[in-house]
Amino acid sequence: MKNTNDPNYNEKEKVTLGEETFEKLPEVQEEKPVKHEESEIIEVDEVLVAEEGEGKKIRKPGRMKFFGILAAIIAVITIFSEAIREMIFKAEDSLLFLPKGGIFIPPVGVILISIGVILTIIAFISLFNRRGKLSKQQKWVSVLIGIVLVVIGVSTFFRFVDFRGNTIVDRTMLTNTSYTYLEVVEVNAYVQPEGEGNSLFYNYNLQKSGSGKTRSYDVKITDKNMDDVKSIDSRISNSVRNNINSSAVDEMVKLGMYSRDEALKLFNFEE
């Protein structure tokens, strides 16, 4: 039993803190450690992995940028391929520089060269890659196809006709035939409807002396080549200009190429 007669009893049971008196000491709550969210914890390994990942992401855009630049260069060359060919092969005394018809035109040639070069490089590199799915024979066939495409593409740049001051040159990759203006056997002037109006065309027929081979070339008359065509007219004998109609005469007058009397006299045309 507790001795309640003890004068110090009440003092032992009560504790005075400042001006407040407590029966017992207040319990002190221990601070609990603050748990950080997982997203706030950064481990060293994670930093290294993140850096490696960022490096890979940078490489992919780099490849895309390279192929994008390559495609842009090919597109620009394709657009200006006609002008590039003319700049390379047009003679200094050239009057008319004509592309040949067909599907093998300079823009197609640029595309074929680009595909052929890329295919050849990829196929040639794959020859040294043993893990490839293609057999060695298939890889060599791919190289051969690429080379053939390049040759066909390059050959398109050798297909043109150059009406020069004294000769007419018909050139391909394997042939180079020259004509004189005396070998022009027929000139036809005709009109074709284009859009809302008409366009004037010249057709030249040539025959190589001593051979039965003939060539035929069509030229659309424009403001840019009108004077050159008139210069060619002065080089050709009047006896061969025998095909023209009234519509062509009217178009010549409209273009300001010849007056009606000049056109009629030039082509020996009688109305």
Side-chain angles (χ1 to χ4, degrees), residues 70-229:
L70 181 62
I73 293 173
I74 293 173
V76 171
I77 296 175
T78 301
I79 294 171
F80 294 100
S81 57
E82 290 278 5
I84 293 172
R85 181 177 68 170
E86 186 172 339
M87 181 179 63
I88 295 172
F89 296 108
K90 185 177 180 179
E92 292 183 1
D93 61 341
S94 177
L95 299 174
L96 291 176
F97 190 86
L98 306 177
K100 285 192 173 184
I103 61 173
F104 293 109
I105 57 177
V108 175
V110 172
I111 295 173
L112 291 176
I113 292 172
S114 302
I115 295 174
V117 169
I118 294 172
L119 180 61
T120 302
I121 293 173
I122 293 175
F124 189 78
I125 292 174
S126 66
L127 286 172
F128 302 95
N129 183 10
R130 298 180 180 179
R131 298 179 181 179
K133 295 181 180 180
L134 297 178
S135 64
K136 190 173 182 180
Q137 184 179 4
Q138 290 173 327
K139 294 174 182 178
W140 277 114
V141 170
S142 299
V143 172
L144 180 61
I145 292 174
I147 294 173
V148 170
L149 290 177
V150 172
V151 172
I152 295 174
V154 171
S155 67
T156 63
F157 285 88
F158 292 88
R159 299 177 71 253
F160 63 86
V161 182
D162 195 1
F163 283 75
R164 300 178 182 178
N166 297 316
T167 59
I168 302 170
V169 178
D170 185 327
R171 186 175 181 181
T172 65
M173 191 171 185
L174 301 176
T175 62
N176 189 8
T177 308
S178 295
Y179 299 88
T180 66
Y181 288 101
L182 293 176
E183 293 170 305
V184 177
V185 296
E186 186 176 1
V187 179
N188 302 308
Y190 62 95
V191 173
Q192 281 189 347
E194 286 191 355
E196 298 180 356
N198 296 321
S199 295
L200 177 65
F201 287 84
Y202 266 42
N203 171 259
Y204 297 98
N205 288 313
L206 299 93
Q207 185 171 2
K208 186 71 175 176
S209 299
S211 68
K213 294 182 179 181
T214 60
R215 294 286 188 274
S216 180
Y217 310 108
D218 289 278
V219 180
K220 180 180 177 180
I221 311 302
T222 64
D223 293 335
K224 293 181 179 180
N225 64 13
M226 188 186 303
D227 292 336
D228 294 327
V229 174

Side-chain angles (χ1 to χ4, degrees), residues 185-190 205 240-245 248 267 269:
V185 296
E186 186 176 1
V187 179
N188 302 308
Y190 62 95
N205 288 313
V240 303
R241 301 188 185 96
N242 55 6
N243 287 299
I244 191 173
N245 54 35
F267 283 88
F269 181 77

